[in-house]
Amino acid sequence: MGTKAGKRVTAADVARSLGLSRATVGFVLNGTSEQRISEATKERVLAEAARLGYRPHTAAQALRRGSSKLVLLVVPDWPVEFSISKCVEEASHALEEAGYSLVTQTRHPAGTARPLWELLDPEVVVGFTPFTPDELTAMRGCGITKIIPGSSLIPQQPDPLGLQDGPRLQVEHLRGRGHTRLGFAATADPRLAGLVESRLRTAQETAADLPPLVVRHVDDHADAAGQAVHDWLDAGVTGVVAYNDESAARVIRAAVRAGHRVPADLAVIGHDDNPYTELFVPSISSIRIDYAGLGRHLAALALHEAAGQPLPAGDVDAAATVVARESTEPSGRGR
């Protein structure tokens, strides 16, 4: 006895095929332990369900148990770099250990697709950045009440990853190497405008007693990095704070191609400590962030909302540290 092609196989189909009651089959497929059903019957039901291609209806199961076991992580329209992927990977592992699945959705400003919180019935929705009032209203209209950030437990901060220490350490590291005329290497990618502005502001505040930072964009178009290096050296800049490691690599490549020595003529420090920083020549000094710790922190916040688990102690465990390499070495061992 079969079902029509393309039609979802239901528990009722399994019951009809075996000549058993819908209730009995439902108890077996839902793993209801309170009912006394023989092992032989259980085996028959599970075997027939597998033969017919039965798959549990996720939404219906969620309604029955009062939990979808889904956590939706909404990320901004940022490039998927090492930092984000490491954070998401660790959050996913931590949630899986607790029996939850992590689903991600990128928030595209001009997107027309329906948000996944309307389609998947997530138990918790987590945002890398604060949600807009309209988004919060829409989620609550779908019956979603566990939203991060969106409660008094989660601070609404301009730097949602808690990484303000990075630019401060970049400036302090260069100052410690004797550099008092600094440049800032930014990216013109509009998706990253908020983060670039935040890191630049912190760097400027840290260097407030120095001459103003000379800010240049170093994206590949029209040899922007080469022009930036020329401008910096003309202005007497000897140290560059780069928005991230990619920006630092662009600056170093342009400087070396123009015949300048790094760090003797221009020292450069990046941010994020991507794996390639120590493979680059010269190797790139950078700011290391515990993105794995940040991912575990986000998972812990979600599990607190979903299952009442204890809140993680203290703030985000993502302390920034300087990793000094050849691109800022005072001995001039760089190229």
Side-chain angles (χ1 to χ4, degrees):
M1 198 173 178
T3 60
K4 293 181 180 179
K7 180 177 178 291
R8 174 191 283 272
V9 176
T10 66
D13 295 323
V14 177
R16 280 194 299 270
S17 180
L18 292 173
L20 296 174
S21 71
R22 170 66 179 81
T24 297
V25 171
F27 288 141
V28 174
L29 296 180
N30 293 327
T32 306
S33 58
E34 292 81 1
Q35 301 299 318
R36 294 184 179 180
I37 299 173
S38 70
E39 289 301 318
T41 299
K42 289 180 183 178
E43 290 177 6
R44 286 180 61 208
V45 169
L46 294 175
E48 186 65 3
R51 187 185 74 81
L52 294 176
Y54 168 81
R55 295 292 183 274
H57 193 292
T58 304
Q61 286 190 336
L63 287 173
R64 283 193 293 271
R65 66 174 177 254
S67 169
S68 65
K69 294 290 185 178
L70 287 178
V71 174
L72 173 60
L73 176 63
V74 182
V75 298
D77 186 18
W78 294 340
V80 181
E81 299 173 335
F82 165 78
S83 54
I84 293 180
S85 62
K86 186 65 177 177
C87 176
V88 172
E89 178 184 5
E90 195 65 27
S92 179
H93 287 165
L95 288 167
E96 284 180 6
E97 290 175 356
Y100 286 76
S101 296
L102 181 69
V103 179
T104 62
Q105 180 176 28
T106 301
R107 180 198 275 157
H108 297 289
T112 58
R114 291 176 62 189
L116 289 181
W117 62 71
E118 294 182 2
L119 304 174
L120 295 181
D121 187 33
E123 192 165 348
V124 183
V125 179
V126 182
F128 261 39
T129 55
F131 295 107
T132 67
D134 286 345
E135 288 173 328
L136 291 173
T137 298
M139 282 184 243
R140 289 167 181 148
C142 293
I144 299 170
T145 59
K146 300 170 182 176
I147 305 168
I148 302 171
S151 72
S152 59
L153 299 173
I154 313 301
Q156 300 271 353
Q157 52 188 4
D159 179 13
L161 303 185
L163 308 181
Q164 289 292 347
D165 277 347
R168 176 181 60 79
L169 291 175
Q170 287 176 298
V171 171
E172 291 177 353
H173 176 72
L174 290 174
R175 291 185 67 160
R177 296 297 192 269
H179 301 283
T180 57
R181 190 72 171 106
L182 304 179
F184 187 91
T187 174
D189 190 331
R191 298 172 297 174
L192 296 170
L195 276 178
V196 172
E197 180 182 353
S198 175
R199 290 184 183 178
L200 173 58
R201 183 168 55 250
T202 299
Q204 289 171 325
E205 291 171 353
T206 307
D209 59 330
L210 299 178
L213 271 64
V214 181
V215 182
R216 292 291 184 273
H217 292 100
V218 296
D219 301 273
D220 263 345
H221 59 84
D223 191 28
Q227 185 61 51
V229 169
H230 179 272
D231 292 348
W232 284 324
L233 292 176
D234 266 4
V237 168
T238 62
V240 174
V241 172
Y243 159 71
N244 63 3
D245 293 325
E246 181 178 336
S247 299
R250 293 183 189 280
V251 172
I252 294 171
R253 181 184 64 179
V256 171
R257 283 182 171 176
H260 304 297
R261 297 168 299 163
V262 176
D265 298 326
L266 195 67
V268 184
I269 182 169
H271 195 295
D272 294 342
D273 197 33
N274 279 273
Y276 64 75
T277 52
E278 59 183 343
L279 304 178
F280 205 78
V281 179
S283 57
I284 304 173
S285 296
S286 189
I287 299 298
R288 177 175 294 166
I289 304 292
D290 182 10
Y291 288 108
L294 177 60
R296 291 191 295 271
H297 183 87
L298 290 176
L301 292 175
L303 290 172
H304 171 77
E305 294 284 352
Q309 293 192 13
L311 276 171
D315 296 326
V316 176
D317 181 17
T321 57
V322 174
V323 181
R325 297 191 179 97
E326 293 172 336
S327 67
T328 59
E329 279 293 307
S331 60
R333 289 203 301 266
R335 293 186 56 146

